[in-house]
Amino acid sequence: MKKRLGFLDRFLTLWIFLAMLVGVAIGYFIPNSADFINSFSSGTTNIPLAIGLVLMMYPPLTKIDFSKVPQMFEKPKLLSASFFITWIVGPFLMFLLANSFLPKDPEYLTGLIVIGLAPCIAMVIVWNDLAGGNRELVAGLVGINSFLQVLFFSFYAYFYLEIMLPLFGFDAITMDISMLEIAKTVGIYLGIPFAAAMLSRAMLIPKFGQDWFQHKFLPIISPITLMALLFTIVVMFSLKGKLIATLPFDVLRVALPLVIFFLVMFFLMFFVAKALGSSYKDTATVAFTAAGNNFELAI
């Protein structure tokens, strides 16, 4: 019998929109709330957001059998298609959408391009887990994509902002972000929950057994994901609550190309994977990976 989503997971979209509204209300109606939240920061890292993202990713990562991750290399065609669509098609599609929808707003245009330069490394793990995707495959893809982000994000930013923009009639924009800064971001938002999950499996399974770990421990920690996700959304939207309430149509103008990007990338990768004969689990995993963007880096 197929497992059904629980009540909370089934209405996740509703909870997310409610969390967004709560966040905007906090930022708009509570004076200096954004300054208060930003006071808990270290460098460019907002500590409440980092805690929320780490806690959100820990339960689904703990469900992964990391010994099976190398099996992903037994699917070279699927991996090649995934990396091509994620790293070649995705950034160019976002660049075209930014130029098409926001040609008179260079700040928004630049932000949209930057968001499209790197695939998602956190949220895709959560959505993949809810969709019943291949956990080991998503762990491998996230790991490789994170490594590629550290190596190539600065180059991608240079290529699209300083070379491609002038070709489309815009002024070149210089973005000064080093490999070290990207590595730090990836290390915090991905390295910490990965390490915690692997350590939990290595310590708890030998001591208490696989059955206890699977049927006792995992059900206890699983609700943390939803709570941490909603907490993270509330914090994120409270930081920009005043701007969102003041400029609602700007939000919609930026959201439209993002929605189009997600739909095009998700279904393109989904049908390519199906054409390659992939299972549902693998297809769902690569589709979410291709459609997601690294908002952690944007933060």
Side-chain angles (χ1 to χ4, degrees):
M1 189 171 114
K2 291 185 179 180
K3 182 182 176 183
R4 292 176 58 85
L5 289 175
F7 174 78
L8 292 177
D9 290 338
R10 202 159 60 244
F11 293 96
L12 180 58
T13 303
L14 174 61
W15 314 140
I16 288 175
F17 275 107
L18 289 175
M20 291 164 59
L21 289 173
V22 170
V24 171
I26 290 173
Y28 186 76
F29 291 110
I30 300 179
N32 303 318
S33 57
D35 293 335
F36 175 74
I37 295 171
N38 279 323
S39 68
F40 299 96
S41 297
S42 176
T44 58
T45 302
N46 184 288
I47 294 174
L49 283 175
I51 292 173
L53 284 167
V54 168
L55 290 176
M56 178 181 70
M57 293 176 62
Y58 172 70
L61 283 172
T62 308
K63 298 175 184 177
I64 294 170
D65 184 349
F66 291 96
S67 66
K68 295 181 180 179
V69 171
Q71 294 178 4
M72 65 182 289
F73 296 107
E74 299 172 1
K75 306 163 185 175
K77 290 183 179 180
L78 181 63
L79 290 183
S80 299
S82 175
F83 291 131
F84 178 80
I85 291 175
T86 300
W87 284 97
I88 304 300
V89 177
F92 187 67
L93 173 61
M94 189 71 90
F95 179 83
L96 292 179
L97 289 171
N99 280 275
S100 300
F101 284 88
L102 302 165
K104 297 181 180 179
D105 297 283
E107 292 90 351
Y108 293 157
L109 180 144
T110 303
L112 209 61
I113 292 173
V114 171
I115 289 174
L117 296 182
C120 184
I121 61 172
M123 291 305 301
V124 66
I125 295 174
V126 177
W127 305 135
N128 181 75
D129 191 58
L130 288 173
N134 186 326
R135 292 169 179 159
E136 288 69 39
L137 176 60
V138 80
L141 287 174
V142 164
I144 294 173
N145 284 330
S146 300
F147 178 70
L148 294 176
Q149 283 180 38
V150 174
L151 291 181
F152 297 120
F153 183 84
S154 297
F155 168 75
Y156 263 51
Y158 169 79
F159 176 74
Y160 278 100
L161 298 178
E162 297 191 42
I163 296 178
M164 290 293 288
L165 274 181
L167 294 179
F168 281 71
F170 297 93
D171 293 332
I173 297 171
T174 301
M175 183 177 180
D176 185 20
I177 181 169
S178 67
M179 288 177 60
L180 182 61
E181 291 174 302
I182 300 168
K184 179 182 175 183
T185 299
V186 172
I188 292 172
Y189 295 120
L190 188 67
I192 293 175
F194 252 100
M198 295 175 75
L199 189 62
S200 296
R201 294 185 67 90
M203 293 178 63
L204 297 177
I205 292 177
K207 186 173 182 178
F208 298 101
Q210 182 70 45
D211 185 70
W212 176 89
F213 187 84
Q214 197 75 29
H215 298 103
K216 298 290 185 181
F217 181 70
L218 291 181
I220 290 175
I221 66 170
S222 290
I224 295 174
T225 295
L226 176 59
M227 292 185 289
L229 169 62
L230 298 180
F231 167 79
T232 302
I233 291 172
V234 169
V235 173
M236 287 178 62
F237 277 81
S238 64
L239 289 172
K240 300 295 181 184
K242 282 190 176 181
L243 278 176
I244 293 172
T246 307
L247 304 169
F249 292 107
D250 285 31
V251 175
L252 294 175
R253 287 171 54 228
V254 173
L256 181 58
L258 285 171
V259 171
I260 294 173
F261 176 87
F262 175 86
L263 293 174
V264 171
M265 291 293 289
F266 183 91
F267 287 108
L268 173 63
M269 188 70 252
F270 186 92
F271 287 115
V272 167
K274 287 290 289 182
L276 292 173
S278 301
S279 65
Y280 164 78
K281 285 190 173 184
D282 290 351
T283 299
T285 297
V286 293
F288 277 119
T289 302
N293 296 112
N294 189 343
F295 75 90
E296 302 92 329
L297 202 57
I299 291 170

